[in-house]
Amino acid sequence: MKRIILTLLLLALMPMYAYAGQKTEEKVYFIDVGQADCTLIESNGLYMLIDSGEEEDGETVKKYLRDRGVDRLTYVIATHPHEDHIGGMDDVIDSFQTDNVIMPKVSAATYCFENMANAIIKSKAKVIEPVVGASYSLGDFTFTVLGPKEYDTEEMNNNSVAIKLVNKNDSFIFTGDAEAQEENDIINSGIDISADVLRVGHHGSKSSTSDAFLNKVAPKYAVISVGKDNAYDHPADTTVEKLNNKKIKIYRTDIHNTITAVSTGNGITFTQSSDGGGARQSSEAVGSGTKTVQTFILNKHSMKFHKDTCIYGKKTSPENKLIYTGYSDTVKSFGYTPCKVCDP
Ligand SMILES: [Zn+2]
Ligand SMILES: [Zn+2]
């Protein structure tokens, strides 16, 4: 009899165990796309992508998403129309069913913006203009729009879509490339912006992460998306110093490659991966044909260079494009890093 009762008890408990075992963990992947930005957010099989890296990161981002089993993006946020944020958007939106695109109501006269706009039109995704305070859900996550409050005609970075992402007691802040001015508007919105993780604005540039903003967010962790030895000297020493002074643990894509934050709703743990996926190879990758004279396409904005046959080189916006004929090593000495797709 005792045995029967025990068996019944076990049977009754089993579904609970099974349920507990299936409890999903919410994940935020800060994908290493060099001097650019790209974050994938996952909850209960639903996905959101914030930015897409540069043009030439399109393939890397697509592969990373496919490796994780993504076939549909519930939300895509295109923070602002700079190439290092939306360059890969056309590739992504063309390849994954995209339900909603949240983007500021500003445009840029660039190829990459035009390519993204065309991809969105083709995809039939719903375009949502950010409204401060509006909230959306993605599985166990909810996110609230923090900015932009109004559009800045002088500084495109201040038009960045900023959000606070929450899973029960865990929270993250993303501000794109928002500078101090937009950070101020966010503080003045009165929305609670305290968070565990700050995705540091504008790749750690000194024009972002104002003292007032950092004090309000008061994060435990900071994530900086930057390329190794980038031409902009990001992150700024002053930003790193500020974070260090507050004993905030810093993760950087140039040091840790792709960084994954796992949120249980009651604590966040970080793993840094060099497991490939999206991890970009070091720009010191051995180039072939460094000793032959070739024609290269140089991108003044991303500071990347390509063979003149590279599709990513061809997609470079005319205003950023330079043509150079000579040795690959010479182009590198100008401070340009080789495209990892065409390996010039
Ligand atoms: Zn920007
Ligand atoms: Zn940027």
Side-chain angles (χ1 to χ4, degrees):
M1 186 62 187
K2 231 186 202 166
R3 212 175 157 143
I4 293 169
I5 290 169
L6 196 69
T7 311
L8 282 174
L9 195 69
L10 275 174
L11 279 173
L13 285 174
M14 242 156 65
M16 284 166 72
Y17 277 115
Y19 179 75
Q22 274 167 14
K23 162 102 188 77
T24 56
E25 284 168 329
E26 280 40 75
K27 290 188 177 130
V28 178
Y29 306 93
F30 300 91
I31 304 172
D32 177 16
V33 283
Q35 184 64 22
D37 239 305
C38 184
T39 309
L40 176 70
I41 295 157
E42 174 185 3
S43 178
N44 298 338
L46 298 175
Y47 296 91
M48 165 157 85
L49 189 76
I50 304 179
D51 291 336
S52 59
E54 291 166 15
E55 294 270 16
E56 68 184 59
D57 296 317
E59 288 301 323
T60 307
V61 174
K62 271 161 61 178
K63 183 179 183 315
Y64 192 85
L65 267 55
R66 287 211 179 102
D67 287 351
R68 260 142 209 84
V70 179
D71 60 3
R72 177 180 192 151
L73 293 162
T74 304
Y75 291 98
V76 166
I77 297 182
T79 61
H80 67 297
H82 278 157
E83 189 189 342
D84 57 322
H85 295 256
I86 61 156
M89 249 350 150
D90 53 340
D91 276 346
V92 169
I93 293 173
D94 281 344
S95 309
F96 300 91
Q97 188 190 325
T98 302
D99 299 336
N100 302 284
V101 178
I102 303 176
M103 58 191 273
K105 209 174 180 177
V106 288
S107 60
T110 58
Y111 274 20
C112 66
F113 184 79
E114 205 177 297
N115 291 341
M116 174 177 78
N118 288 334
I120 293 171
I121 292 164
K122 224 172 24 177
S123 74
K124 301 197 172 65
K126 184 178 166 200
V127 175
I128 300 172
E129 194 188 346
V131 173
V132 174
S135 280
Y136 304 88
S137 67
L138 180 86
D140 286 351
F141 277 125
T142 55
F143 63 96
T144 303
V145 175
L146 305 176
K149 182 180 158 238
E150 53 198 11
Y151 294 118
D152 185 335
T153 49
E154 309 267 290
E155 180 49 72
M156 187 58 95
N157 287 335
N158 286 326
N159 297 323
S160 293
V161 177
I163 64 159
K164 178 173 178 176
L165 177 78
V166 177
N167 171 31
K168 297 182 195 80
N169 295 317
D170 302 338
S171 51
F172 301 75
I173 298 275
F174 297 87
T175 60
D177 279 352
E179 302 189 352
Q181 186 190 316
E182 188 180 343
E183 291 177 346
N184 256 334
D185 286 344
I186 293 173
I187 295 170
N188 293 334
S189 73
I191 297 172
D192 171 21
I193 55 168
S194 62
D196 302 291
V197 181
L198 173 65
R199 208 304 317 245
V200 178
H202 197 191
H203 321 274
S205 148
K206 62 177 187 306
S207 52
S208 304
T209 320
S210 63
D211 292 325
F213 188 72
L214 190 59
N215 286 339
K216 281 275 180 197
V217 179
K220 294 193 213 67
Y221 309 98
V223 179
I224 307 177
S225 190
V226 271
K228 218 167 257 168
D229 303 324
N230 65 79
Y232 306 92
D233 269 333
H234 289 158
D237 293 342
T238 49
T239 306
V240 174
E241 213 173 277
K242 272 185 205 179
L243 299 170
N244 282 336
N245 286 343
K246 290 183 178 295
K247 309 229 169 349
I248 297 162
K249 169 95 178 119
I250 304 173
Y251 291 96
R252 301 168 51 150
T253 57
D254 60 339
I255 296 172
H256 306 107
N257 301 120
T258 291
I259 297 148
T260 306
V262 178
S263 157
T264 60
N266 228 336
I268 298 167
T269 49
F270 282 85
T271 53
Q272 57 219 47
S273 87
S274 38
D275 71 341
R280 170 179 283 219
Q281 273 164 8
S282 140
S283 55
E284 274 80 54
V286 196
S288 57
T290 49
K291 287 284 166 272
T292 49
V293 171
Q294 293 180 73
T295 298
F296 301 105
I297 297 170
L298 283 55
N299 183 327
K300 282 190 288 180
H301 178 78
S302 68
M303 293 303 288
K304 294 277 156 45
F305 72 105
H306 311 260
K307 287 180 181 163
D308 64 346
T309 49
C310 175
I311 53 155
Y312 294 103
K314 286 181 179 160
K315 281 164 90 176
T316 306
S317 321
E319 71 272 19
N320 291 330
K321 192 189 272 186
L322 290 173
I323 305 290
Y324 178 83
T325 302
Y327 296 108
S328 177
D329 283 349
T330 315
V331 184
K332 283 181 200 164
S333 75
F334 297 157
Y336 286 83
T337 54
C339 164
K340 67 181 169 44
V341 179
C342 66
D343 191 20

Coordinates of all heavy atoms in Angstrom, one line a residue, residues 72-77 89 92-94 96-103 116-128:
R72 N 12.4 33.3 -37.5 CA 11.4 34.4 -37.5 C 11.8 35.5 -36.5 O 12.2 35.1 -35.4 CB 10.1 33.9 -37.2 CG 9.0 34.9 -37.1 CD 7.7 34.1 -36.8 NE 6.5 35.0 -37.0 CZ 5.3 34.6 -37.3 NH1 5.1 33.4 -37.5 NH2 4.4 35.5 -37.5
L73 N 11.7 36.7 -36.8 CA 12.0 37.8 -35.9 C 10.7 38.5 -35.6 O 10.1 39.1 -36.4 CB 13.1 38.7 -36.5 CG 14.5 38.1 -36.7 CD1 15.3 39.0 -37.7 CD2 15.2 38.0 -35.4
T74 N 10.3 38.4 -34.3 CA 9.1 39.1 -33.9 C 9.3 40.6 -34.0 O 8.4 41.4 -34.4 CB 8.6 38.7 -32.5 OG1 8.5 37.2 -32.5 CG2 7.3 39.2 -32.1
Y75 N 10.4 41.1 -33.5 CA 10.8 42.5 -33.5 C 12.2 42.7 -34.0 O 13.1 41.9 -33.7 CB 10.7 43.2 -32.1 CG 9.3 43.3 -31.6 CD1 8.8 42.3 -30.7 CD2 8.5 44.3 -32.0 CE1 7.5 42.4 -30.2 CE2 7.2 44.4 -31.5 CZ 6.7 43.5 -30.6 OH 5.4 43.5 -30.1
V76 N 12.3 43.7 -34.9 CA 13.7 44.2 -35.3 C 13.7 45.6 -34.9 O 12.8 46.4 -35.2 CB 13.9 44.0 -36.8 CG1 15.1 44.8 -37.2 CG2 14.1 42.5 -37.1
I77 N 14.7 46.0 -34.2 CA 14.9 47.5 -33.9 C 16.1 48.0 -34.7 O 17.2 47.4 -34.6 CB 15.1 47.7 -32.4 CG1 13.9 47.3 -31.6 CG2 15.4 49.2 -32.2 CD1 14.0 47.6 -30.1
M89 N 21.0 45.1 -42.3 CA 19.5 44.9 -42.2 C 18.8 44.3 -43.4 O 17.9 43.5 -43.3 CB 18.9 46.3 -41.9 CG 18.3 46.6 -40.6 SD 18.1 45.3 -39.4 CE 18.2 46.3 -37.9
V92 N 19.3 40.6 -43.4 CA 18.6 39.9 -42.3 C 17.1 39.9 -42.7 O 16.5 38.8 -42.6 CB 18.8 40.7 -41.0 CG1 17.8 40.2 -39.9 CG2 20.2 40.5 -40.5
I93 N 16.5 41.0 -43.0 CA 15.1 41.1 -43.3 C 14.7 40.3 -44.5 O 13.7 39.7 -44.6 CB 14.6 42.6 -43.4 CG1 14.8 43.2 -42.0 CG2 13.2 42.7 -43.9 CD1 14.6 44.7 -42.0
D94 N 15.6 40.2 -45.5 CA 15.4 39.3 -46.7 C 15.4 37.9 -46.3 O 14.7 37.0 -47.0 CB 16.4 39.6 -47.7 CG 16.2 40.8 -48.6 OD1 15.1 41.4 -48.5 OD2 17.2 41.3 -49.2
F96 N 14.9 36.4 -43.0 CA 14.1 35.9 -41.8 C 12.7 36.6 -41.8 O 12.7 37.8 -42.1 CB 14.8 36.2 -40.5 CG 16.1 35.5 -40.4 CD1 17.3 36.2 -40.8 CD2 16.2 34.2 -39.9 CE1 18.5 35.5 -40.7 CE2 17.5 33.6 -39.8 CZ 18.6 34.2 -40.2
Q97 N 11.7 35.8 -41.6 CA 10.4 36.5 -41.6 C 10.4 37.5 -40.5 O 10.7 37.2 -39.3 CB 9.3 35.5 -41.3 CG 7.9 36.1 -41.5 CD 6.8 35.3 -41.0 OE1 6.8 34.0 -41.1 NE2 5.7 35.9 -40.4
T98 N 10.1 38.7 -40.8 CA 10.2 39.8 -39.8 C 8.8 40.4 -39.6 O 8.1 40.8 -40.6 CB 11.1 40.9 -40.3 OG1 12.4 40.3 -40.6 CG2 11.3 42.1 -39.4
D99 N 8.3 40.4 -38.4 CA 6.9 40.8 -38.1 C 6.8 42.3 -37.9 O 5.9 43.0 -38.4 CB 6.4 40.1 -36.9 CG 6.3 38.6 -37.1 OD1 6.3 38.2 -38.3 OD2 6.3 37.8 -36.1
N100 N 7.7 42.9 -37.1 CA 7.7 44.3 -36.8 C 9.0 44.9 -36.8 O 10.0 44.3 -36.3 CB 7.1 44.5 -35.3 CG 5.8 43.8 -35.1 OD1 4.8 44.4 -35.5 ND2 5.8 42.7 -34.5
V101 N 9.1 46.1 -37.4 CA 10.4 46.9 -37.4 C 10.1 48.2 -36.6 O 9.3 49.0 -37.0 CB 10.9 47.2 -38.8 CG1 12.2 48.0 -38.7 CG2 11.1 45.9 -39.6
I102 N 10.9 48.4 -35.5 CA 10.8 49.6 -34.8 C 12.0 50.5 -35.2 O 13.1 50.1 -35.1 CB 10.8 49.4 -33.3 CG1 9.7 48.4 -32.9 CG2 10.7 50.7 -32.5 CD1 9.7 48.0 -31.4
M103 N 11.7 51.6 -35.8 CA 12.8 52.5 -36.2 C 12.3 54.0 -36.1 O 11.1 54.3 -36.2 CB 13.1 52.2 -37.7 CG 12.0 52.2 -38.7 SD 12.4 51.5 -40.3 CE 13.1 52.9 -41.1
M116 N 17.8 48.9 -46.8 CA 16.9 48.5 -45.7 C 15.5 48.8 -45.9 O 14.6 48.0 -45.7 CB 17.4 49.1 -44.3 CG 16.5 48.8 -43.2 SD 17.0 49.5 -41.6 CE 16.5 51.2 -41.8
A117 N 15.2 50.0 -46.4 CA 13.9 50.5 -46.7 C 13.2 49.5 -47.7 O 12.1 49.1 -47.5 CB 13.8 51.9 -47.1
N118 N 13.9 49.2 -48.7 CA 13.4 48.3 -49.8 C 13.1 46.9 -49.2 O 12.1 46.3 -49.5 CB 14.4 48.1 -50.9 CG 14.4 49.4 -51.8 OD1 13.4 50.2 -51.8 ND2 15.5 49.7 -52.4
A119 N 14.0 46.4 -48.3 CA 13.8 45.1 -47.7 C 12.6 45.1 -46.8 O 11.8 44.1 -46.8 CB 15.0 44.7 -46.9
I120 N 12.4 46.2 -46.1 CA 11.2 46.3 -45.2 C 9.9 46.3 -46.0 O 9.0 45.5 -45.7 CB 11.3 47.5 -44.3 CG1 12.4 47.4 -43.3 CG2 9.9 47.7 -43.6 CD1 12.7 48.7 -42.5
I121 N 9.9 47.0 -47.1 CA 8.7 47.1 -48.0 C 8.4 45.7 -48.5 O 7.3 45.2 -48.5 CB 8.9 48.1 -49.1 CG1 9.0 49.5 -48.5 CG2 7.8 48.0 -50.2 CD1 9.5 50.6 -49.5
K122 N 9.4 45.0 -49.0 CA 9.3 43.7 -49.6 C 8.7 42.7 -48.5 O 8.0 41.8 -48.8 CB 10.6 43.2 -50.1 CG 10.5 42.5 -51.5 CD 11.8 42.2 -52.2 CE 13.0 42.1 -51.3 NZ 14.3 41.7 -51.9
S123 N 9.2 42.9 -47.3 CA 8.9 41.9 -46.2 C 7.5 42.0 -45.7 O 7.0 41.2 -45.0 CB 9.8 42.1 -45.0 OG 9.5 43.3 -44.3
K124 N 6.9 43.2 -45.9 CA 5.5 43.5 -45.4 C 5.5 43.5 -43.9 O 4.5 43.4 -43.2 CB 4.5 42.5 -45.9 CG 4.4 42.5 -47.4 CD 3.1 41.8 -47.9 CE 2.8 41.9 -49.3 NZ 3.8 41.2 -50.2
A125 N 6.7 43.7 -43.3 CA 6.7 43.9 -41.8 C 6.0 45.2 -41.4 O 5.9 46.1 -42.2 CB 8.2 44.0 -41.3
K126 N 5.5 45.2 -40.2 CA 4.8 46.4 -39.7 C 5.9 47.3 -39.2 O 6.7 46.9 -38.4 CB 3.8 46.0 -38.6 CG 3.0 47.1 -38.1 CD 2.0 46.6 -37.0 CE 1.5 47.8 -36.2 NZ 1.0 47.4 -34.9
V127 N 5.8 48.6 -39.6 CA 6.8 49.6 -39.1 C 6.2 50.3 -38.0 O 5.1 50.8 -38.1 CB 7.2 50.5 -40.3 CG1 8.2 51.6 -39.7 CG2 7.9 49.7 -41.4
I128 N 6.9 50.3 -36.9 CA 6.4 51.0 -35.7 C 7.3 52.2 -35.3 O 8.5 52.0 -35.2 CB 6.4 50.0 -34.5 CG1 5.5 48.8 -34.8 CG2 6.0 50.7 -33.2 CD1 5.6 47.7 -33.7

